[in-house]
Amino acid sequence: MRTAIWLYLFLFVAFFDLHAQYPILTPFAVSIGAAPSFIGLMMGLYSITHLPGNVIAGYSVDRYGSRLFIVFSLAAAGAILLLQSRVTDPWQLLTLRSISGFVLAFLSPACMSLLARITSDRIKQGKLMAGNGLVHTIASVVSPAAGAYLVAQIGFTTAFFVLGLILIVTAACAMFFIRDIPVTAQSAELASQLSAHMHAHEHGMRGKRGKQLKVTDEPQSIPWLIYLLPVAMSCAQGILSFELPLMATSKEAMMTTGLLFSIVSLGALLTLSMLFLNKLSPFLRSLWGAFMLALTYFAIAAGVPVPFMIMLFILGMAKGVIFPALSSLLIERSGGAKYGRTFSFLSVAFSVGAFMGPMLAGQLRNYISPYYIAFLALMIAVSVLPFYAYTTRTGGSGAHFSRTG
């Protein structure tokens, strides 16, 4: 558990540093002459450059371990922020953000894989994933407002320089305090048994208590349908991240935008703190959390007479339900192995959605509310996700990944 504590500490610093840029990056781009459509392109390219990094990370983390990639990702991202503090042209900013998207693509698969390898117990794995979400959310509660305040006090240039130094120092500390945990055959077999048990429990196929579960040599395959949900979620989040900073036209408005991002994170923090939710079915938590998220985006798009901050808080609550549930769902289906590959596919799905969201919002915001686009994306995922239960019952091969390697 000491590894988990160190990992949580470094993740907090890294997430704090990265989320602090949310309310300030768009105003900074505007200040150097970028148009809203260009900002949408920049945010989209940042996400799409995750893809090659995710693919490389998926196979490399399983083979070489997580520590190397955590250190590399943090150090490279810090160096890019130091260069970003000297940017004077929108195209320079776009180039640096694209490179940053590639190097940061290694961070999430490496961290999630290391957390998953700490234990093979399904309940403990769920708690570790919830702890990761809790650390992420706590950092995202305070960092947007802190980033906006930092810029208001010392300006864009110095703020980016300070944030870059923080990431480099964090990478140096991670090099000394994080140790890799190899996957053993025993832990993989136990995780596979627990995965099969949870799979049966989820669909009402309960056997006698304590009965030995039959384990096959082949790990359970992961239905493609599961990955539609992270695509839709990141698309909606990308739209929100694109729209909120455009509300800022002054330093005072930038502070307000930072607070709005913090309110979303507070909502997620509330539901992440409800640890009893980990005992419920990850599939049902993912499904109903996504449905609540879609309805909230529709309410924003329709102009429902509810305070905007309350709706943002509800958005955060729904996200706090979905993220740990989705991670637990993927762990169950991974068969106790190939964690890096599994979470790299998850990161790819997030990258695709995060590319689509800002791009669609930037091009269509004059014709349709971007929040309505987020609603449509989420409702498509919610409508299709129940077929996951059908494919897992019937074992339809067409909807699954086949084992490779």
Side-chain angles (χ1 to χ4, degrees):
M1 293 303 294
R2 184 170 62 180
T3 299
I5 293 174
W6 280 114
L7 191 57
Y8 285 152
L9 177 61
F10 295 136
L11 283 173
F12 175 82
V13 176
F15 286 141
F16 179 94
D17 195 289
L18 296 173
H19 281 275
Q21 300 179 56
Y22 281 2
I24 65 177
L25 191 60
T26 295
F28 174 66
V30 172
S31 71
I32 59 175
S37 58
F38 186 89
I39 295 172
L41 174 64
M42 180 182 69
M43 295 177 68
L45 286 178
Y46 171 84
S47 300
I48 206 66
T49 52
H50 266 54
L51 291 176
N54 289 148
V55 174
I56 295 172
Y59 293 91
S60 301
V61 167
D62 286 331
R63 184 172 182 180
Y64 300 109
S66 299
R67 177 171 169 265
L68 173 66
F69 296 100
I70 292 174
V71 173
F72 162 75
S73 185
L74 291 173
I80 290 171
L81 274 177
L82 297 183
L83 295 175
Q84 190 171 303
S85 66
R86 302 295 181 182
V87 163
T88 57
D89 180 81
W91 288 100
Q92 295 174 350
L93 181 60
L94 183 143
T95 302
L96 288 177
R97 293 297 295 170
S98 299
I99 300 173
S100 179
F102 174 78
V103 300
L104 285 173
F106 294 87
L107 185 61
S108 180
C111 291
M112 298 290 275
S113 177
L114 187 58
L115 278 176
R117 287 173 175 169
I118 290 176
T119 179
S120 296
D121 184 272
R122 181 188 61 80
I123 299 295
K124 291 181 180 179
Q125 282 178 332
K127 290 181 178 180
L128 286 173
M129 291 302 164
N132 173 69
L134 191 63
V135 168
H136 190 164
T137 304
I138 292 174
S140 63
V141 166
V142 295
S143 58
Y149 178 79
L150 189 65
V151 169
Q153 297 299 314
I154 61 178
F156 289 113
T157 298
T158 309
F160 286 131
F161 187 82
V162 170
L163 293 175
L165 284 180
I166 292 174
L167 281 181
I168 292 175
V169 171
T170 304
C173 294
M175 184 182 299
F176 294 103
F177 293 107
I178 290 182
R179 293 291 180 268
D180 275 317
I181 301 175
V183 178
T184 64
Q186 182 180 4
S187 65
E189 180 180 357
L190 177 58
S192 182
Q193 290 182 4
L194 292 168
S195 173
H197 174 70
M198 184 59 187
H199 174 65
H201 178 81
E202 207 172 279
H203 300 292
M205 299 177 287
R206 300 177 182 84
K208 292 183 179 180
R209 192 177 183 88
K211 183 178 179 181
Q212 182 70 23
L213 294 168
K214 182 179 179 181
V215 181
T216 62
D217 292 334
E218 293 289 329
Q220 295 189 56
S221 51
I222 300 178
W224 288 97
L225 296 177
I226 293 180
Y227 291 101
L228 289 178
L229 180 57
V231 169
M233 285 184 60
S234 58
C235 177
Q237 178 61 38
I239 289 173
L240 186 68
S241 299
F242 174 79
E243 286 293 314
L244 288 185
L246 288 178
M247 300 168 58
T249 57
S250 63
K251 289 186 177 180
E252 292 76 13
M254 197 189 319
M255 288 292 297
T256 302
T257 302
L259 290 175
L260 292 178
F261 278 110
S262 296
I263 287 172
V264 175
S265 300
L266 279 173
L269 180 61
L270 176 63
T271 46
L272 284 170
S273 301
M274 301 177 184
L275 297 181
F276 64 88
L277 292 176
N278 294 326
K279 298 180 181 179
L280 303 178
S281 163
F283 173 73
L284 292 179
R285 280 184 283 151
S286 301
L287 180 65
W288 289 106
F291 183 65
M292 183 171 72
L293 192 63
L295 290 182
T296 308
Y297 274 109
F298 180 80
I300 296 175
V304 173
V306 176
F308 188 51
M309 289 188 176
I310 292 179
M311 288 192 284
L312 290 179
F313 188 81
I314 297 174
L315 282 180
M317 290 181 63
K319 289 172 57 180
V321 171
I322 300 171
F323 276 117
L326 191 57
S327 298
S328 297
L329 193 60
L330 289 173
I331 287 175
E332 290 170 8
R333 300 296 302 174
S334 69
K338 308 297 184 184
Y339 285 130
R341 193 174 305 179
T342 298
F343 286 111
S344 76
F345 282 128
L346 177 63
S347 297
V348 167
F350 278 128
S351 298
V352 171
F355 169 74
M356 293 170 58
M359 289 288 290
L360 290 173
Q363 299 298 322
L364 301 177
R365 67 193 308 265
N366 293 328
Y367 307 100
I368 187 175
S369 170
Y371 296 115
Y372 187 68
I373 300 174
F375 162 74
L376 289 177
L378 286 165
M379 281 307 298
I380 291 173
V382 169
S383 300
V384 172
L385 193 59
F387 289 100
Y388 154 75
Y390 173 77
T391 56
T392 51
R393 285 194 190 102
T394 60
S397 60
H400 293 72
F401 290 113
S402 60
R403 187 185 181 189
T404 58

